[in-house]
Amino acid sequence: MDTLTYLVPLVLLPVSLSFFFLIRKSKSSSSNNPPGTSGWPMVGENIDFALAGPQKFVYDRMKKYSPDVFQTSLLGEKMAVFCGATGNKFLFTNENKILTSWWPQSMKKALLFPDFVEDSLKEVSALKRSFLHDILKPEALKQYIPLMDSMARDHLEADWSPHDEVKVFPMLKKYTFALACKLFMSVDDPEHVARLAKHFTLVTSGMFSVPIDLPGTAYNRAIKGGKLVRDELLKIIRDRKKEMIENKETAGRDLLSRMLLVTDENGEFMSEMEISNNIIGLLVASYETTSTAVTFVLKYLAELPHVYDEVYREQMEIVKSKGPNELLRWEDIQKMKYSWNVACEALRLTPPAQGAFREAITDFTFAGFTIPKGWKTFWTVHTTHKNPKYFPDPEKFDPSRFEGSGPAPYTFVPFGGGPRMCPGKEYARLEVLVFVHDVVTKFKLEKSIPDEKIVFHASPVPMNGLPVMYDASGVRLHAGQQAEEYLSGEETLDDLGQLVSCILGWVDQRAG
């Protein structure tokens, strides 16, 4: 997509805001506000942000104004950008005290039911975060690991193996969306998943475009796509509710069933629209964020053979400990320590999420400056992830940073922190590790475009989708070497399946 597609909305969005709102903001100015600039009238610093990219935009202003906090104007809002570990800690630990979550109005209009657009995010998120954490914590997710593994294998066999080259990013978006539909709602009919994905793509492709709801615009398509997604979800919710009543179901088979069963402190069930809102939020995260995370892990594995070799060695130890075609389980995931360090380093260098907004619900001070009530705040990964103060030689890919106790608190924040830390962190960890296991034990990747450019939309995106060439020869070579060691008496294999696999690899190597 052309960069202008994302530049134009940033320029035009403030124009769509009311004159009254502009006046209200101007009255909040104070000489004790954080240093910085609001940029051009109506436009703010949106052009600078789009042209420089989030990382350079933030670094330049930290250097020019303050390493702690600076003010800017983005999306038509007075905004204080909090910096460094201290700024992250302050925002993360003051959630629901002096700050509340905030989304741009245009984004809420594309995603949510019209009845909820004017509500605060706290009102929209009727699902208690404690409940969300409970259903997405490791103990609850363990049971899904074999299914994740099975779906990853099927995806690679159907969509990767028949080809000599694939574009990783679009393939992963297809896979992660299908997995989310299965795990969250038990929807696995390919046509149904494809229809949902088609509608959902309209939303995610257009909700950051020009916020003008006129026929033919990307934003108009996002609004229409959002309605189609919500209609589909309402039908799924109502069908499941009817089925649960008929079968007198009291145990949640998946996320949807558990949402239908949960009650608040007054014993009230969530409404169908509230359930739909929460599922949409989870689908956005799984469709955009997780697919981006896995894409960049594979990018670094394709670029760094020595890292791939270590990940391969760790994953093959797990393969050797299991029977033929035996699926992964929780105890296998726990052995993937180096692989997770690699994933964390990929998340540090190329984080899928850039940060998050908050809104000040009262005046407060930070680093000697006053942030007025109504101002928006923004924390971003770019104040710490590549800051040499926290990560020496920050551009170097070094998984050892995450050994032992790992980075200092509040410096590595791809999932946020505090009460609003992403509840899907463990889900993302399992999805990344399972997919990496199945890829590296089957393929050796090579980038088709070695210097492919990374562009920033809502998340970092490989400009060409990260096309990779691959074959199984590298993997078979490892198996062949292991078979030769066994036949020469240098290695002992405990499982007949391992022996057969190694000998087949040895035969294949010889035949090649």
Side-chain angles (χ1 to χ4, degrees), residues 486-505:
Y486 172 79
L487 294 174
S488 64
E490 296 177 12
E491 180 170 334
T492 301
L493 298 174
D494 299 323
D495 186 271
L496 178 61
Q498 297 172 34
L499 174 59
V500 172
S501 175
C502 289
I503 291 177
L504 287 174

Side-chain angles (χ1 to χ4, degrees), residues 111 113-114 192 195-196 199 223-239 273 276 280:
L111 290 172
F113 287 94
H192 194 177
R195 186 170 65 251
L196 261 174
H199 301 333
I223 299 296
K224 290 180 178 178
K227 183 181 185 307
L228 291 170
V229 169
R230 294 190 296 271
D231 289 346
E232 288 272 5
L233 291 180
L234 281 180
K235 184 178 187 307
I236 292 170
I237 292 166
R238 288 164 182 165
D239 288 347
M273 287 193 293
S276 174
I280 286 173

Side-chain angles (χ1 to χ4, degrees), residues 280-495:
I280 286 173
L282 291 168
L283 288 175
V284 169
S286 63
Y287 184 65
E288 291 289 334
T289 311
T290 311
S291 59
T292 301
V294 182
T295 295
F296 282 96
V297 173
L298 296 184
K299 169 186 175 290
Y300 288 112
L301 290 178
E303 291 175 343
L304 304 168
H306 67 286
V307 175
Y308 168 88
D309 287 343
E310 285 299 313
V311 170
Y312 175 84
R313 186 174 295 110
E314 180 176 78
Q315 298 298 340
M316 287 307 297
E317 285 298 317
I318 294 169
V319 171
K320 289 190 290 183
S321 70
K322 304 179 73 64
N325 299 318
E326 183 181 352
L327 296 171
L328 292 171
R329 300 197 176 277
W330 175 251
E331 53 270 22
D332 301 314
I333 300 295
Q334 298 307 97
K335 297 174 184 176
M336 301 180 186
K337 299 186 183 303
Y338 180 78
S339 298
W340 182 238
N341 288 347
V342 168
C344 287
E345 183 69 339
L347 289 170
R348 182 187 71 83
L349 286 168
T350 318
Q354 305 304 296
F357 299 107
R358 303 284 188 268
E359 181 176 8
I361 56 179
T362 185
D363 292 354
F364 64 88
T365 60
F366 175 75
F369 300 106
T370 299
I371 287 79
K373 178 182 178 180
W375 270 36
K376 306 307 181 283
T377 69
F378 184 57
W379 68 265
T380 171
V381 292
H382 297 298
T383 70
T384 57
H385 277 205
K386 291 187 179 181
N387 191 329
K389 176 181 176 181
Y390 308 115
F391 297 96
D393 197 3
E395 295 293 341
K396 179 182 179 182
F397 192 94
D398 182 7
S400 68
R401 300 180 198 274
F402 296 90
E403 293 176 355
S405 59
Y410 303 104
T411 60
F412 178 65
V413 288
F415 301 102
R420 299 293 302 181
M421 175 179 279
C422 175
K425 175 184 176 181
E426 187 61 27
Y427 174 82
R429 185 177 83 97
L430 296 180
E431 189 166 359
V432 169
L433 290 175
V434 168
F435 199 82
V436 166
H437 170 86
D438 285 316
V439 168
V440 301
T441 55
K442 292 176 177 63
F443 308 116
K444 184 73 179 275
L445 306 180
E446 180 182 346
K447 291 176 66 178
S448 302
I449 307 173
D451 56 351
E452 182 179 6
K453 185 178 179 181
I454 304 302
V455 294
F456 284 89
H457 296 164
S459 297
V461 176
M463 180 172 280
N464 301 100
L466 189 61
V468 296
M469 299 176 289
Y470 57 86
D471 59 55
S473 59
V475 175
R476 290 197 300 268
L477 178 59
H478 281 279
Q481 289 170 341
Q482 188 180 13
E484 285 188 332
E485 290 171 358
Y486 172 79
L487 294 174
S488 64
E490 296 177 12
E491 180 170 334
T492 301
L493 298 174
D494 299 323
D495 186 271

